């Protein structure tokens, strides 16, 4: 078996025609939906970017134990498991977070990888003293905030406002995007075609082609931008802060147009991959899987982004399409059962005939390529320290804790790193050694007090004090605009949250944090730890 796994970042489900979108032309995503099995109720698990990828690698939710961080030493990565079973794994990606402190171990889990430079704030080229005054004239301060940079010649990470520094680096990289071939997505697909040219005759390999687009900043070649020109004539607006939307209708149209242009680029380049499958008859022996890590709010519900607000359907309900050469008779069918990001890991192992580790809580979806049968009664999703969302496919419920500070929470890890730094000394001073969880293979872990300033919530320094728990009916109100008052149903969904916590051996304090009944202690893990000590 050979597999190509295509992973885009922040690809909204409703941006695709195959899922009912009509604002963006996506002929190639729609073309693949006619070839593949399309999953209509596929949801995220842990949020945002790297927590989602840890779910993908390990086949289990990780947001109950820690936030953004590296693969843990006890994690069962699908890439390592495939390699141990003789399947060659290769990653092609421009996702810069793999190469920061909080992304350690993911790219290294593959037999080899190609890293494409220049996405987001990754430096395509380096200008120690960039022309900030020129950038202030070009970019809208609401999205780039260059006035928060220090009045010094050289910009460094240590002497700058973090977000403004990142965006200054992005502005530098944009100066060097001269041709379409210079764009990271174009380079990712070029590297994929080179891999395929060299290896289509080989067997037993897994290629992950991962593009950071259409994640912000929403920057696409001009020919894509022209198709979604909003008529806006102001400064550049393509990198919204994660905050409540207060823009004019014209500004909203411009930001959405920039996102649409980037989705259109992703669609066209994905079409080139479909053409390659056609021309080289890869459909007969190669699986092809398409999905994303999460969606993004483009002023829906009066919000931009994905971190602080409730995890509305635009964020949490994501596309998934799967082609398997043995199930060609199922081309174009759709599945209505609940599925979730952690299901990808056991699916990949199943595709290649590998045993699924006992730590996995996800379910292989290979059987669903034959028939639509339920694999999850409900799914739960969230971000460490934030609210928890639970859905049974008919209703969704956002459950916020009474204490919104997170001061009662601790992180459990053997890899104490944030997105772009190690844990600071004050955090490390709180370390205690905690007993193993049921997925740590008998190893104790570090228990570290959560410092709210290092939470991923808000990402722009805001809290979520104005957000409240809410229940929605997805069939009657798919856009989640009218909360329902149904205490009995809420109680039932809260009980399901507790069931998911128990299944993932969540820390005891998490139950108290969300006002849930605590389960009995994990006697087996506790006894293993006692025996070792």
């Amino acid at each position: 078996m050979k597999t190509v796994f295509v992973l885009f970042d922040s690809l909204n489900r409703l941006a695709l025609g195959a899922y009912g979108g009509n604002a963006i032309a996506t002929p190639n995503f729609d073309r693949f939906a006619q070839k593949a099995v399309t999953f209509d109720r596929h949801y995220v698990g842990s949020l945002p970017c790297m927590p989602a990828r840890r779910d993908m690698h390990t086949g289990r939710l990780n947001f109950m134990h820690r936030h953004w961080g590296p693969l843990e030493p006890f994690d069962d990565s699908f890439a390592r498991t495939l390699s141990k079973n003789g399947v060659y794994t290769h990653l092609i990606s421009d996702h810069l977070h793999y190469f920061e402190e909080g992304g350690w171990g993911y790219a290294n889990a593959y037999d080899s990888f190609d890293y494409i430079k220049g996405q987001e704030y990754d430096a395509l080229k380096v200008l120690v003293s960039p022309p900030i005054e020129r950038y202030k004239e070009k970019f809208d301060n609401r999205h780039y905030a260059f006035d928060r940079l220090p009045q010094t010649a050289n910009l460094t990470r240590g002497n700058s406002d973090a977000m403004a520094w990142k965006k200054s680096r992005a502005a530098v990289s944009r100066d060097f995007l001269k041709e379409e071939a210079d764009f990271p997505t174009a380079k990712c697909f070029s590297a994929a075609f080179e891999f395929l040219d060299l290896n289509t005759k080989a067997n037993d390999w897994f290629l992950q082609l991962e593009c950071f687009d259409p994640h912000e900043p929403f920057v696409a070649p001009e020919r894509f931008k022209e198709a979604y020109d909003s008529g806006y004539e102001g400064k550049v607006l393509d990198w919204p802060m994660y905050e409540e939307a207060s823009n004019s209708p014209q500004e909203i149209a411009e930001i959405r147009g920039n996102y649409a242009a980037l989705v259109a680029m992703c669609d066209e380049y994905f079409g080139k991959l479909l053409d390659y499958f056609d021309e080289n008859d890869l459909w007969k022996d190669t699986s092809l899987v398409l999905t994303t890590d999460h969606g993004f709010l483009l002023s829906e519900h009066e919000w931009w982004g994905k971190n602080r607000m409730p995890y509305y359907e635009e964020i949490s309900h994501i596309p998934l399409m799967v082609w398997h050469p043995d199930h060609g008779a199922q081309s174009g069918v759709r599945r209505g059962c609940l599925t979730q990001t952690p299901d990808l890991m056991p699916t990949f192992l199943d595709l290649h005939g590998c045993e699924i580790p006992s730590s996995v809580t996800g379910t292989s979806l290979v059987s669903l390529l034959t028939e639509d049968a339920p694999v999850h009664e409900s799914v739960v999703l969230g971000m460490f320290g934030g609210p928890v969302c639970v859905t049974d496919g008919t209703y969704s419920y956002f459950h916020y804790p009474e204490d919104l500070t997170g001061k009662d929470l601790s992180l459990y890890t053997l890899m104490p790193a944030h997105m772009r730094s190690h844990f600071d000394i004050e955090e490390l001073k709180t370390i205690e050694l905690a007993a193993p969880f049921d997925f740590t293979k008998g190893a104790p872990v570090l228990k570290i007090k959560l410092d709210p300033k290092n939470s991923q919530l808000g990402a722009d320094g805001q809290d979520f004090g104005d957000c409240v728990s809410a229940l929605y009916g997805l069939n009657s109100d798919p856009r989640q605009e009218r909360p329902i008052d149904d205490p009995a149903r809420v109680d039932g969904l809260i009980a399901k949250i507790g069931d998911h916590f128990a299944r993932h051996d969540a820390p005891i304090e998490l139950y108290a944090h969300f006002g849930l009944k605590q389960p009995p202690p994990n006697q087996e893990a506790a006894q293993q730890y006692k025996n070792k000590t």
Side-chain angles (χ1 to χ4, degrees), residues 141-145 148 161 163-164 167 216 238-245 247 255 296-297 303-306 309 458-462:
N141 191 62
R142 288 169 294 177
H143 281 196
Y144 285 81
R148 301 199 323 236
D161 174 275
M163 188 58 67
K167 294 184 175 184
E216 69 273 20
D238 60 14
W239 201 336
M241 304 289 277
Y242 295 179
E243 62 187 6
E244 293 181 85
N247 305 79
I255 298 168
F296 192 88
L297 285 171
W303 285 101
W304 298 107
K306 58 180 184 272
M309 68 298 297
D460 295 325
Q462 302 183 45

Side-chain angles (χ1 to χ4, degrees), residues 319-337:
L320 173 65
M321 304 177 194
V322 179
W323 161 263
H324 189 297
D326 293 344
H327 298 276
Q330 301 296 316
S331 287
V333 304
R334 307 183 78 100
R335 300 301 186 218
C337 55

Side-chain angles (χ1 to χ4, degrees), residues 1-5 82 85-89 195 199-207 277 282-289 322-328 347-354 366 369:
M1 174 60 70
K2 298 178 282 192
T3 300
V4 178
F5 172 39
L82 288 174
N85 283 274
V87 180
Y88 192 93
T89 58
F195 175 91
N199 295 288
T200 50
K201 294 183 180 180
N203 200 7
D204 295 328
W205 51 255
F206 182 99
L207 169 63
F277 266 65
L282 294 188
W283 302 111
K284 68 181 180 182
D285 62 3
T286 307
S287 293
L288 179 58
V289 180
V322 179
W323 161 263
H324 189 297
D326 293 344
H327 298 276
T347 299
F348 295 150
L349 297 188
D350 199 0
L351 287 173
H352 290 269
C354 300
V366 172
L369 302 179

Side-chain angles (χ1 to χ4, degrees), residues 190-317:
S190 178
F193 296 138
E194 181 180 30
F195 175 91
L196 292 173
D197 285 342
L198 294 171
N199 295 288
T200 50
K201 294 183 180 180
N203 200 7
D204 295 328
W205 51 255
F206 182 99
L207 169 63
Q208 180 167 330
L209 169 56
E210 179 177 346
C211 297
F212 196 65
D213 286 336
H215 191 289
E216 69 273 20
F218 307 139
V219 183
E222 193 60 32
R223 68 184 180 93
F224 296 102
K225 180 75 169 68
E226 289 172 356
Y228 298 94
D229 187 358
S230 70
Y232 170 78
E233 296 180 350
K235 295 182 179 181
V236 172
L237 283 169
D238 60 14
W239 201 336
M241 304 289 277
Y242 295 179
E243 62 187 6
E244 293 181 85
S246 59
N247 305 79
S248 70
Q250 185 64 57
E251 291 169 339
I252 290 174
E254 172 66 7
I255 298 168
R256 289 182 171 182
N258 287 328
Y259 177 79
L262 201 48
V263 170
M265 181 184 187
C266 294
D267 177 81
E268 181 169 310
Y269 276 83
F270 182 68
K272 296 177 186 291
L273 179 64
L274 300 183
D275 292 342
Y276 192 99
F277 266 65
D278 289 341
E279 294 160 4
N280 294 275
D281 199 19
L282 294 188
W283 302 111
K284 68 181 180 182
D285 62 3
T286 307
S287 293
L288 179 58
V289 180
L290 168 71
T291 192
T292 189
D293 54 354
H294 51 69
F296 192 88
L297 285 171
L298 293 159
S299 79
E300 299 91 347
H301 307 281
E302 308 300 324
W303 285 101
W304 298 107
K306 58 180 184 272
N307 282 23
R308 174 190 171 197
M309 68 298 297
Y311 312 126
Y312 292 110
E313 291 278 287
E314 292 87 349
I315 297 172
S316 60
H317 192 172

Side-chain angles (χ1 to χ4, degrees), residues 367-413:
S367 65
L368 298 184
L369 302 179
T370 302
E371 61 177 343
D372 197 358
V375 293
H376 301 294
E377 179 183 305
S378 65
V379 295
V380 69
L381 57 101
M383 185 182 302
F384 185 89
V388 171
C389 174
V390 60
T391 180
D392 59 8
T394 302
Y395 294 89
S396 67
Y397 175 62
F398 306 121
H399 186 54
Y400 280 82
E402 289 188 10
D403 181 359
L404 299 171
T405 67
K407 66 179 186 299
D408 56 339
L409 297 178
S410 294
L411 300 153
Y412 295 87
T413 179

